[in-house]
Each structure stands twice: as C-alpha cells, then as structure tokens.
Amino acid sequence: MVSESLREKYGEMLVELGAKHPEIVVLDADLSSSTKTQAFGKKFPDRFFNMGISEQSMVTAAAGLALSGKKAFVSTFAVFLTRTYEQIRQSVCYNNIDVKFVVTHPGITVGEDGATHQIIEDTGIMCGLPNMRVIVPADSIEVSSVMHHLVEKTKTPYYVRLSREKFPVVNDSDYKFREGRNTVLRDGSDLTIFSNGAMVGLALQAAEELKAQAIDAAVINVSSMKPLDRENIVKYAKSTGHIVTAEEHSIFNGLGSRVAEVVSEEYPVHVYRIGMRDTFGKSGKSWELFDYFHMGVKDIVEAGIKCFQKEDDYEAVS
Amino acid sequence: MERSPSSVGGNENLNNETLSKLSKKAREYIIRMVYEAKSGHPGGSLSIIDILIYLYYNEMNIDPTNQNYEDRDRLIMSKGHASPALYTTLALRGFFPQELLMGFRKINSKLEGHVHRGVPGVETSTGSLGQGLGIGLGMALAGRLDHRNYRVFVILGDGEIEEGNVWETLMGANKYKVSNLIAILDRNRVQLDDMTENVMPMGDIASKVRSFGWDTMEFNGHDFNEIRKAFEFANQKRDGPVFLIANTIKGKGVSYMENTAKYHGSPPANQEEFEKAIKEIRDL
Ligand SMILES: Cc1ncc(C[n+]2csc(CCOP(=O)(O)OP(=O)(O)O)c2C)c(N)n1
C-alpha cells in the first residue's frame, strides 16, 4: 500500500476549493508550515489570516467571519486548539455557525515532540459539544472527499482530525465520504474491528494475521465519529458477536466508548478497546510508541484472539 | 524585598572567559542532541543559552547536591521547546549526568521533547506556549506567603508573548506587586512560520510592558557584561515585577541557522551541515 500525507492533501484541497469558493477564509496560529495552510496563504493572501500564537483570538475571529457570511477553516495543532475549548463552545457551537476546525498532529503519531503535544482526549471533548460534528479520516483520499463535503454541503461546525504521519491509502480512488456512514473495508463473520485514523491500516494488518488463526475479522472505518453509524455497528454486533475497537486516542470518551454506548443500548456484546489507557504519551518514534502503549498490530490481534477465550486476562481501566 | 544572593546554594561567580567556554560546550551539546534525535529546536535554544549559563552559574541560588531545598531560586522555561538548552545547562551544572543528554527524545529516556518535570532541576513541564509566566506568578505568590527569599525567573519567547495568557499575567503580577518575579524575553525576532514582525508585529514591547506596571530593561543577551548588568538591575530594591528584554539572535553561533525560521524546529539536515555547525561553534 502506498502511504500519503493527510495534511498535505488538506493544504492542496484548500487551494483547489478556495479557487471556486470565494467565501472560504483560512486562519492559522503560527503553524501554517506544519498544518499546510501556507499554500492557501500564498495563493489567496487576502483570505488568509495568520493570527500569531493566539489561538483564542483565532477562534473568536473565525466566529466573527462566519457570522458575516464566510466559511472559516481554522487550523493549528490539535492540542493547541483545545485551549480555546470554551470559545469553541460559546462562540462557534452555540451560534451553530460555519467554522471548520481542521487540526493536525494529534495522538502518538506526533512522535518525538512528546507528551505535551500528543493529545489523546480531543475527539471526546469535541463529540461532547452540541452542534459539533467530528470526522477522523483514514487516508488522503478520504481527506479530499471530506473537504468537498464540508465546502459543498455543510454550514455548521466540524472538527476534523489529521495525523502528522503519512498513512497507507485504504480507500478506493472513487470513494465518497458519507456523513454518519461507516465504510466496510474488509468483511468478516467472526469479529468486527472498528477503527479510524491511524489505526485503520494497523487493523487491516491485524485482520490478515487473525486469518492465520482461523478468525475471520471485519474491518470497519468509523471516520464519521459524530454522527455515528449506529445501524452499521448494531448490524455487525449481531452478525459477528465480538467487537474490538482501535483508536489513536484515549479509550475514554473516544471511538471505543461511542461503540460501547451503542451496543449496550441496542445489542450488548463484549467490546475490547485498544487505545491509550488513561496515560499521557511520551517522546519516541511514532511507530515505536504504538507497541509501547499496547496499540500495535500485535495487540489488536491479541484482543481478537481473547474474544474467543473463555477466561481472559483483559485488564480494565477505570 | 531586597534580592541579595543568599549564602545557601551555588553561585560560582565565573568570569566572562569561563562563561564563554561553558556556552560553547553547551552549544555543541545542543547541536549534537537535535542531530542525534533527528528532531528538536536548535534556533531558540542557541538564542537563550548564554543567559541560561549565566543564570545557573552566576545568578541563581541553587544547589545541585541539594536540588529541592526550599529557598532555591526557580526557573521556568516557558518556551518549552528550548529543552535542549535547559537540559544541557542542568547537566553541565551537575543536576544529572551529561551522558544522559544523548537520550533526548528517545523512547527509553526521561528527556522528553519538551521540558519535562521528571528531569532533575526542572520546576515545571512546559511546551504549550504562554503558560509559564502565570505559573511563575503563582510560585512568586507562594514564596511571599511562606516568607521565603527565593526569586522566580521565567523565560519567554517573543512569539510566545502573542498568547493572551501572558498579558493576563502581566496584569495580575502588577496587581499583586510580586517583586520576586523576573521575566526574561528572548527577543530573537523569529518565530515558527516566519519573522515575528511578519507574523505579529509586536512594536515597542518595553513600553507596552511598562504600561502594565512592570520595570523593564533591554540588553544584549549574548554579551556577558550586559547580562551581568541586566541582573544587577533586576536585583535593585523595587516593589513590583521586572521584565528584562534580551536582544538575541535565533540560531546564534551557527551561521546558517542565524535569523531564520528554517531551523526553529529542524536539526542539521545532514552530516555536512552537522559538521559545519560543530566547527563553527568550536571556532567561536
Ligand atoms: C500554545 C502553542 N501554540 C503553538 C505552539 C507551536 N509552537 C512551538 S514554538 C512556536 C514558535 C515560538 O516562537 P518564539 O516564542 O519566538 O520562540 P523562539 O524563537 O525563542 O524559539 C510555535 C508556534 C506551541 N508550542 N504552543
């Protein structure tokens, strides 16, 4: 599988869509060379605002722009956006306006920059906000489709989470993102692995290894974290009876929690959650960190096998 | 409160020549650390290193053999990406073995990419900009409540002070007249994307800060005579906080890193650049 950068694709799409949509404005906070909004800034300097290292000013100005008819894309590192949580809540979500937060460098794929930068609680924070919708794309193809969706079909707040690393391309080239719809990347009858973002590629590898253990695992991309595809989750809970979730995020308030909420209401089955287990990250090479925090392919495979063991030694975190 | 160096702790009173030698050694470590880690922030580490060396050898009341004694002066590296500079200074000063420096940013090391409180001598973790001055205010207030004689030094970046949190604390520190709080601005005129003037024109920072009720002084942050004078000024008897503005050069000591955003968060790109950096530092 070829790997491609999601944030590079975001930068390209801003330029492409910006040419057709004069209402698009872009704001950044001194990270435009990393979030890749810089390209838009070069092409459309009048519609690009580098607000300096002033995230609160950036978010409130974006609210003002949106309240005045603009479609505002706001970018910085995921962790630094959260210092404006309350501005996002009051000025953007409560107003229910056209501000798109497209953030980069979440989770442990940040790598060497370390714990301060590796936010693992952001999708939980954002899913909790009324009117906010949350998308975690799995590859560059999905990023471009999501960007069309945001620009052409929506006028309300969104949070889009793009990891720093390049990810393997898992979607077909004609893939179309559909809000509130999961994508079945690999069908299976024994077990379902729900994942998104960085974990999709790992989940696909894990499913391949599980095949060798005679376990037929489905792999489903839950890029639309909110709204959630309840129907698809329940369908696979019923058809496979076992669920593993895998996310580059805390197991609290993330994908695993969301899936568990749905099945516990509609069709309870055992859910094993792979993710950060109530701990901060640390510096290291990003792919080393997956193993360090028990979120690697091997760990997904083990969780899959445990589904079929009577007694398990799964350690719960509370 | 009079700020006289207390008798406890290490105040080495080194001469300029010895300080310069230590700075050179530290600069070399900074380059080696980021090159070995293949990541990290050399530019803003090289701009602040002379001041750090001066503080830890000549100014601060600290004791590497009794690291947590209660009257020690505190230093907060609010621009937490300058971790190579702080870690190097602490190691040279004897807070932990210099061998550990090369573990910087590696998975089995305590030397996290951004300044981390688990490292001996570090008072608080930092890395998200704009928070250190507020933490410093809190420490200064606690020192006053406890009738302790310590001072709190906070190192800020000139891009960093675009954060609202900094200006909120500039107000708060004036309200509470904390005379044991000393901010030091690393005025290197470059931030992450570009020159500070292009990203966010800061204008006359000294007069802005003065209008918030702080005493200020500007000095050359690479000249040990001027650094000495700046801290003499900070130590004068006064009834409020001090804001020292150090005019510095981002990337100072490595020609191709100077005055550019390119090496804000990037190590030497290859062996040739690495060797050039080491040679230039040795020839300083
Ligand atoms: C709140 C926050 N926003 C953004 C960043 C990303 N960032 C790291 S360093 C930096 C530029 C800092 O510039 P400056 O304060 O001038 O530091 P120096 O030039 O001294 O290295 C930025 C934007 C951050 N660490 N924290």
Side-chain angles (χ1 to χ4, degrees):
Chain A
M1 277 186 280
V2 283
S3 287
E4 283 180 15
S5 162
L6 282 67
R7 55 196 167 105
E8 292 282 358
K9 179 58 75 179
Y10 166 56
E12 286 167 25
M13 293 307 297
L14 277 179
V15 172
E16 184 184 319
L17 292 163
K20 276 182 254 162
H21 294 269
E23 72 278 18
I24 293 181
V25 294
V26 178
L27 297 89
D28 204 300
D30 194 30
L31 279 165
S32 69
S33 45
S34 301
T35 63
K36 305 299 172 191
T37 60
Q38 210 170 41
F40 183 94
K42 289 219 173 85
K43 194 82 194 262
F44 309 107
D46 294 348
R47 290 191 272 144
F48 177 72
F49 305 97
N50 192 334
M51 302 298 288
I53 312 173
S54 317
E55 293 81 7
Q56 301 173 88
S57 165
M58 168 172 71
V59 169
T60 43
L65 284 156
L67 285 165
S68 314
K70 304 297 176 199
K71 182 181 280 290
F73 280 84
V74 172
S75 290
T76 177
F77 285 4
V79 70
F80 306 130
L81 185 72
T82 57
R83 85 195 278 134
T84 74
Y85 169 74
E86 207 249 349
Q87 281 84 357
I88 296 170
R89 181 183 191 274
Q90 312 288 353
S91 298
V92 177
C93 289
Y94 190 44
N95 279 326
N96 200 15
I97 50 178
D98 203 358
V99 179
K100 315 304 191 199
F101 301 99
V102 182
V103 297
T104 65
H105 296 65
I108 55 176
T109 44
V110 166
E112 290 86 347
D113 270 347
T116 51
H117 286 48
Q118 294 164 351
I119 192 163
I120 49 156
E121 67 276 18
D122 53 323
T123 68
I125 293 171
M126 296 300 162
C127 283
L129 283 167
N131 293 335
M132 182 72 101
R133 292 165 184 231
V134 177
I135 303 172
V136 184
D139 67 7
S140 58
I141 290 175
E142 186 152 37
V143 171
S144 70
S145 185
V146 164
M147 287 295 288
H148 277 287
H149 178 74
L150 296 188
V151 171
E152 290 152 12
K153 300 201 179 112
T154 74
K155 287 198 169 299
T156 57
Y158 278 77
Y159 181 77
V160 182
R161 188 188 208 232
L162 305 180
S163 295
R164 171 192 156 211
E165 292 276 1
K166 291 180 177 173
F167 289 163
V169 173
V170 294
N171 286 297
D172 297 333
S173 57
D174 61 353
Y175 167 81
K176 290 275 170 298
F177 171 80
R178 288 177 309 153
E179 197 168 292
R181 286 281 165 266
N182 288 345
T183 312
V184 180
L185 291 172
R186 173 189 174 117
D187 218 337
S189 54
D190 298 333
L191 159 76
T192 308
I193 308 173
F194 291 103
S195 64
N196 60 23
M199 303 304 282
V200 172
L202 304 186
L204 285 166
Q205 284 179 50
E208 201 52 45
E209 292 187 19
L210 283 164
K211 200 165 84 178
Q213 311 273 342
I215 296 172
D216 182 20
V219 176
I220 294 182
N221 175 18
V222 193
S223 48
S224 179
M225 276 194 72
K226 190 185 167 198
L228 199 62
D229 190 347
R230 296 177 73 95
E231 210 178 295
N232 171 273
I233 293 169
V234 173
K235 180 176 159 208
Y236 274 83
K238 286 182 181 162
S239 67
T240 65
H242 302 280
I243 291 175
V244 172
T245 62
E247 60 197 305
E248 191 197 3
H249 189 273
S250 171
I251 58 168
F252 296 158
N253 305 324
L255 175 64
S257 306
R258 300 226 71 205
V259 169
E261 280 162 21
V262 172
V263 296
S264 65
E265 280 178 350
E266 302 206 20
Y267 189 85
V269 299
H270 203 144
V271 178
Y272 285 103
R273 292 171 298 163
I274 302 274
M276 295 291 280
R277 304 183 72 79
D278 199 25
T279 176
F280 282 104
K282 77 185 305 303
S283 287
K285 302 248 171 276
S286 62
W287 299 110
E288 278 173 356
L289 292 169
F290 280 98
D291 291 332
Y292 185 91
F293 289 110
H294 305 293
M295 293 162 59
V297 173
K298 169 173 112 335
D299 304 289
I300 303 174
V301 170
E302 271 172 23
I305 292 170
K306 275 181 200 155
C307 291
F308 297 92
Q309 292 170 344
K310 285 207 183 68
E311 302 271 322
D312 66 58
D313 55 356
Y314 183 79
E315 200 186 318
V317 181
S318 54
Chain B
M1 191 192 298
E2 188 86 47
R3 294 199 201 88
S4 58
S6 79
S7 52
V8 207
N11 209 308
E12 304 264 296
N13 257 319
L14 304 179
N15 62 26
N16 290 1
E17 200 189 330
T18 314
L19 290 167
S20 298
K21 272 198 194 135
L22 283 162
S23 279
K24 265 168 86 153
K25 195 163 179 194
R27 285 196 156 82
E28 188 167 331
Y29 263 132
I30 289 167
I31 294 299
R32 288 187 183 280
M33 286 165 73
V34 297
Y35 189 61
E36 168 77 17
K38 294 274 174 279
S39 70
H41 300 78
S45 294
L46 294 169
S47 59
I48 197 62
I49 191 64
D50 296 316
I51 291 170
L52 278 179
I53 291 288
Y54 184 87
L55 278 167
Y56 276 89
Y57 282 90
N58 277 14
E59 182 63 33
M60 287 169 64
N61 299 309
I62 45 151
D63 184 358
T65 65
N66 181 17
Q67 298 185 1
N68 295 322
Y69 78 92
E70 291 189 352
D71 280 315
R72 72 189 182 283
D73 286 338
R74 274 74 165 161
L75 182 132
I76 298 172
M77 178 55 81
S78 188
K79 41 169 242 176
H81 56 280
S83 48
L86 182 61
Y87 292 162
T88 295
T89 306
L90 290 169
L92 287 174
R93 194 67 179 84
F95 280 83
F96 59 87
Q98 291 173 37
E99 298 83 76
L100 297 183
L101 289 173
M102 296 322 255
F104 180 54
R105 291 182 162 239
K106 291 186 184 162
I107 195 160
N108 49 7
S109 160
K110 274 206 164 131
L111 301 191
E112 273 285 304
H114 288 75
V115 167
H116 176 46
R117 187 165 176 243
V119 176
V122 170
E123 301 283 353
T124 177
S125 295
T126 49
S128 173
L129 296 168
Q131 305 190 21
L133 192 60
I135 298 174
L137 170 58
M139 288 181 178
L141 289 170
R144 191 157 74 186
L145 276 174
D146 293 343
H147 306 289
R148 296 209 172 273
N149 215 5
Y150 65 75
R151 299 167 297 171
V152 184
F153 297 91
V154 180
I155 294 178
L156 300 162
D158 55 352
E160 176 180 19
I161 63 168
E162 292 155 15
E163 283 291 355
N165 199 159
V166 173
W167 299 88
E168 292 171 24
T169 303
L170 287 171
M171 288 188 285
N174 174 51
K175 173 178 179 191
Y176 289 108
K177 301 280 174 223
V178 278
S179 58
N180 51 346
L181 182 61
I182 300 160
I184 302 153
L185 182 71
D186 184 358
R187 182 74 166 122
N188 61 29
R189 296 178 186 272
V190 185
Q191 49 191 102
L192 188 148
D193 272 339
D194 198 351
M195 305 302 286
T196 299
E197 194 58 25
N198 297 335
V199 179
M200 186 56 63
M202 296 305 295
D204 181 354
I205 295 172
S207 70
K208 284 182 182 170
V209 172
R210 258 199 311 278
S211 74
F212 275 66
W214 292 53
D215 289 337
T216 65
M217 178 178 164
E218 291 199 48
F219 66 104
N220 177 343
H222 300 303
D223 174 331
F224 287 113
N225 285 331
E226 292 220 6
I227 297 174
R228 186 173 290 111
K229 278 194 207 131
F231 289 107
E232 279 164 13
F233 171 80
N235 287 334
Q236 284 165 18
K237 193 170 165 58
R238 65 182 79 248
D239 60 3
V242 184
F243 197 97
L244 303 175
I245 299 176
N247 290 310
T248 57
I249 294 172
K250 193 146 174 167
K252 168 80 177 172
V254 179
S255 57
Y256 62 87
M257 291 189 175
E258 289 189 356
N259 296 310
T260 170
K262 194 171 164 213
Y263 291 90
H264 165 79
S266 303
N270 49 44
Q271 188 66 18
E272 193 183 323
E273 275 195 19
F274 169 70
E275 280 165 19
K276 187 167 158 61
I278 297 293
K279 179 168 186 320
E280 287 187 10
I281 289 168
R282 289 192 176 162
D283 291 346
L284 279 177

